[in-house]
Amino acid sequence: MQKKNKVLLSAVPIAACVAALGAGAPAAHAASGTTYRATLAAVPLNTPSGAASGTITVTLNGNQATISEHVSGLATKLPTDKKTLDALGIPAAFAGAPFPHVQHIHGPDAALGAGGAGTCPTSAADSNHDGLITTGEAGDNYGPILSTLSTAPGGTGDEKSADATNVKIAPGGGSFTYNRTITLSSASQAAITSGKAVIVVHGLNPANAPKASLTVPNDVGLTLPGASKPVAAIATSPALCGVLQASQMSTMPGGGVNTGFASTKSTTNTTAMAGGAAAIALGGAGVVLMRRRKHTTV
Ligand SMILES: [Cu+2]
């Protein structure tokens, strides 16, 4: 039932899978608990509408979260060309590897004094108007990293964990399926039950990413191990985003599986003290790499 490290590159019929999921029945439904789901949509400016998408279901049982996610349409492989790698600040060791997509549960973190509005950025988040929404620019929307959805054995990391930006344990490839049960921090649990947890998949596709993302260094101070300069913003910028919401079967055709979601949609606590530097710094040091569509084909 659990495909642990099978995440990298299970490329096959994901599109079909996504469609099925979108239609209703949660794929991974724990015996009990509350199910939350999100449609992962293209972040404006960063990913053309419809070019990439996904769905994620999170079933919460105490601090255990059973996650089932399908994503498609993202960048597939890293470039192999040394010049391209150098230009983007990607170490040669990553040449040709599956494009890693670091992904997190973001949200407010009271312990850090970091807010998060529980929203995905709109194009208005591009505060410097360069056509790109960077991690920093989206920080007010979704807040700092609360949990990392990695492929590492045992699971997840809090916002201080190196796992958060470790590309070696990030799911990779243009399409992937991610199924596992992880232990959540209290901040993550609180964010989810208050409707402020936001799933963010990082790493833009050079084939359709804003030009600025190739030339501007990332704004979270991230330099990949072995690189001579900070990785380009394309690596850390949010590609897909979705707000986790208690599963409301009423919105689904034929709806049936309703199990008391109402209580989980509590009034949002207005902890959104938008914007601390902390939120920004942690908000997505995503990591990743990218590839230039120029020569490799997908
Ligand atoms: Cu993130």
Side-chain angles (χ1 to χ4, degrees):
M1 289 306 272
Q2 339 141 293
K3 342 164 53 172
K4 283 220 166 152
N5 298 323
K6 200 40 200 267
V7 181
L8 300 182
L9 275 201
S10 21
V12 206
I14 278 129
C17 199
V18 168
L21 244 193
H29 208 97
S32 60
T34 305
T35 297
Y36 299 81
R37 59 198 320 143
T39 295
L40 303 178
V43 170
L45 302 182
N46 293 1
T47 303
S49 179
S53 60
T55 57
I56 185 167
T57 300
V58 177
T59 298
L60 200 56
N61 277 299
N63 66 356
Q64 297 296 298
T66 299
I67 298 171
S68 179
E69 178 194 28
H70 301 276
V71 171
S72 63
L74 298 172
T76 41
K77 284 197 271 185
L78 297 174
T80 53
D81 175 67
K82 188 170 189 317
K83 268 191 194 167
T84 303
L85 293 169
D86 287 348
L88 297 174
I90 301 171
F94 291 101
F99 192 115
H101 293 287
V102 171
Q103 53 177 2
H104 311 111
I105 298 174
H106 285 255
D109 189 334
L112 286 178
T119 58
C120 288
T122 66
S123 56
D126 177 20
S127 55
N128 69 352
H129 307 294
D130 65 352
L132 167 73
I133 296 175
T134 63
T135 295
E137 287 173 323
D140 289 355
N141 287 102
Y142 53 62
I145 296 168
L146 301 182
S147 291
T148 299
L149 305 183
S150 78
T151 61
T156 184
D158 63 17
E159 68 283 347
K160 298 176 190 67
S161 170
D163 285 0
T165 56
N166 186 345
V167 297
K168 294 182 176 175
I169 53 170
S175 298
F176 60 82
T177 299
Y178 182 91
N179 290 313
R180 74 187 309 177
T181 297
I182 64 175
T183 300
L184 295 183
S185 66
S186 55
S188 271
Q189 294 171 60
I192 291 173
T193 56
S194 66
K196 294 205 166 186
V198 182
I199 304 297
V200 181
V201 182
H202 298 268
L204 309 186
N205 188 340
N208 52 33
K211 289 199 165 46
S213 68
L214 298 169
T215 55
V216 175
N218 77 85
D219 60 354
V220 294
L222 179 65
T223 297
L224 297 175
S228 57
K229 65 175 188 179
V231 69
I234 193 171
T236 59
S237 299
L240 291 175
C241 181
V243 181
L244 277 180
Q245 296 181 312
S247 193
Q248 299 200 33
M249 299 308 169
S250 58
T251 64
M252 304 194 166
V257 204
N258 193 335
T259 44
F261 56 83
S263 61
T264 65
K265 286 215 90 178
S266 68
T267 56
T268 50
N269 57 26
T270 326
T271 340
M273 40 210 53
I280 290 171
L282 302 167
V287 154
V288 196
L289 321 148
M290 52 258 26
R291 79 192 199 123
R292 249 172 190 175
R293 225 304 187 42
K294 303 195 158 171
H295 38 98
T296 346
T297 30
V298 187

